[in-house]
């Protein structure tokens, strides 16, 4: 199992890239794989063979306008890890922070 974070955007589309990015995010969401989008990256969870074709389709959709495309990919690949890492990784950090707050008496 792996969690991939990627950012794809046209490099020559002017100041706003929202339309092209929205189309790429739509492709990710329609994949059915666990995902989330933040202001800078879209995260998607699955096997290499499941995720890479989705990232490719998202990238191809941005390139359709004849744009030069910027693509950044980061991956946390954990063979044998159970599904759900996209959420459990964040939950573990939040637990640590909550523990620290309770130990120091801060709310």
């Amino acid at each position: 199992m792996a969690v991939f974070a990627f950012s794809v955007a046209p490099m020559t589309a002017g100041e706003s890239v929202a339309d092209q990015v929205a189309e790429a995010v739509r492709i990710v969401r329609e994949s059915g794989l666990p995902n989330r989008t933040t202001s800078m990256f879209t995260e998607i969870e699955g096997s290499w063979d499941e995720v890479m074709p989705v990232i490719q389709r998202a990238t191809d959709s941005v390139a359709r306008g004849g744009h030069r495309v910027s693509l950044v990919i980061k991956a946390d690949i954990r063979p044998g890890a159970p599904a759900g890492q996209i959420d459990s990784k964040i939950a573990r950090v939040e637990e640590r922070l909550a523990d620290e707050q309770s130990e120091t008496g801060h709310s």
Side-chain angles (χ1 to χ4, degrees):
M1 192 57 55
V3 177
F4 295 81
F6 79 100
S7 172
V8 60
M11 295 178 66
T12 57
E15 190 170 322
S16 177
V17 297
D19 290 340
Q20 293 90 344
V21 171
E23 177 61 17
V25 171
R26 182 190 62 74
I27 289 166
V28 171
R29 290 182 179 173
E30 288 178 352
S31 75
L33 295 171
N35 67 84
R36 81 166 48 90
T37 299
T38 66
S39 61
M40 294 188 61
F41 285 93
T42 294
E43 297 175 351
I44 183 169
E45 181 178 28
S47 71
W48 184 269
D49 291 339
E50 293 171 320
V51 172
M52 291 311 287
V54 176
I55 293 174
Q56 183 177 7
R57 286 195 307 274
T59 302
D60 289 347
S61 75
V62 171
R64 267 191 219 114
H67 301 290
R68 183 176 181 180
V69 177
S70 170
L71 173 65
V72 176
I73 302 173
K74 182 175 181 178
D76 180 4
I77 301 167
R78 295 181 61 192
Q85 294 299 309
I86 197 168
D87 294 319
S88 64
K89 291 174 71 159
I90 294 170
R92 287 190 296 272
V93 170
E94 292 296 336
E95 286 172 12
R96 300 310 189 282
L97 293 171
D99 290 346
E100 286 177 13
Q101 285 182 347
S102 66
E103 289 172 7
T104 61
H106 293 101
S107 50

